Amino acid sequence: MEKKFKFALLILMFNMFISMSGIGLIIPIMPQYLKTFGGEGAVLGFLIASIALAQFIFSPLAGTMSDRLGRKNLIIFGLVMNGVFMILFGMATHLFELYIFRFLTGVGSAFIITPVMAYVADITTGKQRGKAMGQIGASISLGFMIGPGIGGLLSNVNLHFPFYAAGGAAIFAAILTLFFLPATKPVLKDKAKGIGSGNVIKDMRTSFKTPYFVLLLVVFIFTFGIANFQASLSMFLTYKFQFTPNNIAIILTVGGFVGVIIQSLFLDKIFKRFGEMRVILFSLIIAGIFSICMIYISGFFLILVVATIFQTATTVIRPAVNTLISYTAGKEQGFASGMNNAYMSLGNMIGPAIAGTLFDWNMSAPFYVGATVLIFSFFLTYLWQKRTTTSFKSIDD
């Protein structure tokens, strides 16, 4: 049984890596790719937001459907959809097609991420869950980290080839999942027993009544703060310090690499030693402080250190929150996972849009706002955990 669990987790990690690297892959390619369509920065911003919008709308539906139809079927569907529309994105000849295909790629991602998180909750006990969520988080971080590098390397063939390769990899992952991922039984056979409707507006209202609503709110707030920072960083370093794309790539890669190492090797021990709640609170404060620090420092090495600490702090927040939500979700893992991804997508959608507006006004403003949001999230989480009757000290409690 232990071998079966580990193999299933490896497949899920591979699926998340493929999905996330496909999203990150476009970062170095898009400026030049959009020139062939006459598109500029605003177009890129809307394309990025379109994925978050698709995930926001469809994650609740994916979660509810996975509760009723089983996780495996939904994961396969999402991978195929992701792959097909990634390939079509690379074949597009008109700008409006880019918007359509990118949005539909995001729909596919919603049907991957949400059932994967729910699947992990299905196959893990309390003792295993924190470690498994950390490993899934590491695969996400690794995908985001090396995706841009893969995209830049494959673009040497031509600008369209990276999209074909990413689409082909997603379809290969779907085939691998079809034949090798053990199926899980639907957890809700009677539709009347499920709390999820699949309608994002109705499900958002339903989420207000769940015992983990504050955690979902924290997901939105800290994702907003993180996205605000990340969307501003490359522009900030370019305009204030005249950093080259290679300089920025090094900063992002080192931070991502450290996050992957911690999630893969140390996160389970950290959770057991301090508990998920303390990890969340500490990381929120650290992220807020170092967001402010970015404004007042200079020099490549010091910027590298500050950005790495910020990225490391934020990478451990996500698996910690995911784990706590799964503890309180009971049999509604699909619904909880869907709402988790929906709130995260909402933060990813709003954060960059506000960051861009703030940056045009004052290049330091996004970092002040991001820090304020993260520290507010700290106080919200702290007050909630003081009032809740559930103990979150450790996964062994």
Side-chain angles (χ1 to χ4, degrees), residues 88-217:
L88 290 176
F89 187 91
M91 298 173 64
T93 56
H94 298 89
L95 189 59
F96 76 90
E97 294 176 331
L98 296 184
Y99 289 112
I100 294 172
F101 296 145
R102 201 60 184 163
F103 180 85
L104 292 173
T105 300
V107 175
S109 295
F111 279 90
I112 300 169
I113 298 170
T114 303
V116 164
M117 292 298 185
Y119 193 114
V120 171
D122 289 342
I123 64 173
T124 53
T125 64
K127 291 182 179 180
Q128 297 170 320
R129 193 166 298 169
K131 182 177 181 180
M133 288 293 184
Q135 290 173 329
I136 292 292
S139 65
I140 292 173
S141 299
L142 186 63
F144 274 129
M145 182 181 73
I146 72 173
I150 294 174
L153 182 64
L154 295 179
S155 67
N156 290 323
V157 178
N158 60 57
L159 285 177
H160 304 274
F161 184 69
F163 303 106
Y164 302 153
I171 293 172
F172 170 75
I175 295 171
L176 189 71
T177 301
L178 174 64
F179 287 105
F180 297 107
L181 183 68
T184 58
K185 294 180 180 180
V187 296
L188 294 174
K189 295 181 180 179
D190 183 354
K191 290 186 178 181
K193 293 181 180 178
I195 65 172
S197 67
N199 180 301
V200 66
I201 303 301
K202 291 182 180 179
D203 286 352
M204 289 283 282
R205 288 202 296 264
T206 300
S207 73
F208 300 162
K209 304 173 185 178
T210 62
Y212 47 85
F213 168 67
V214 171
L215 287 173
L216 293 174
L217 194 58

Side-chain angles (χ1 to χ4, degrees), residues 325-388:
I325 290 174
S326 72
Y327 287 163
T328 53
K331 292 185 177 181
E332 305 288 351
Q333 293 294 335
F335 174 80
S337 181
M339 294 314 302
N340 186 353
N341 200 35
Y343 277 84
M344 188 177 297
S345 300
L346 192 62
N348 281 328
M349 191 166 44
I350 298 174
I354 293 179
T357 303
L358 290 172
F359 186 88
D360 288 342
W361 172 61
N362 184 305
M363 69 172 64
S364 297
F367 300 98
Y368 284 117
V369 171
T372 302
V373 166
L374 289 166
I375 293 172
F376 172 76
S377 184
F378 164 83
F379 284 111
L380 178 66
T381 308
Y382 178 77
L383 292 174
W384 175 75
Q385 66 94 23
K386 281 290 186 182
R387 296 180 62 182
T388 185

Side-chain angles (χ1 to χ4, degrees), residues 12-28 86 102 134-152 166 252-253 256-257 259-261 263-264 315:
L12 296 175
M13 290 172 62
F14 179 71
N15 289 342
M16 294 298 283
F17 169 77
I18 291 297
S19 179
M20 294 304 108
S21 61
I23 293 175
L25 173 144
I26 76 166
I27 293 173
M86 181 72 76
R102 201 60 184 163
Q135 290 173 329
I136 292 292
S139 65
I140 292 173
S141 299
L142 186 63
F144 274 129
M145 182 181 73
I146 72 173
I150 294 174
L252 294 176
T253 301
F257 180 74
V260 168
I261 294 298
Q263 287 178 320
S264 301
T315 55

